Amino acid sequence: MAVALLTERDIERYGNNLSRCYRIDNSSEFDGLLRMIDKADAALQARPWERSSS
């Protein structure tokens, strides 16, 4: 099982590989979550690239 926020373009790209897709209407209910995701992504992108020593 996977949970993801997909754009319409993503859904078209995956096509029949998505067995179930629950679409939501434009809603402000997810605004806070999307802001937190954007903030976390920006923080991750701002970090210098670190190579792990294996």
Side-chain angles (χ1 to χ4, degrees):
M1 181 175 109
V3 176
L5 299 174
L6 302 173
T7 64
E8 199 65 40
R9 182 176 171 214
D10 294 330
I11 293 170
E12 290 172 8
R13 183 181 316 142
Y14 293 117
N16 293 333
N17 291 322
L18 292 174
S19 59
R20 291 188 190 141
C21 180
Y22 299 97
R23 294 173 187 220
I24 57 170
D25 295 327
N26 286 339
S27 172
S28 62
E29 294 177 28
F30 293 98
D31 289 350
L33 174 61
L34 294 173
R35 274 192 301 276
M36 288 189 297
I37 291 170
D38 287 341
K39 184 178 177 180
D41 184 53
L44 182 64
Q45 297 301 321
R47 290 176 53 189
W49 186 74
E50 298 175 8
R51 175 182 255 176
S52 62
S53 55
S54 305

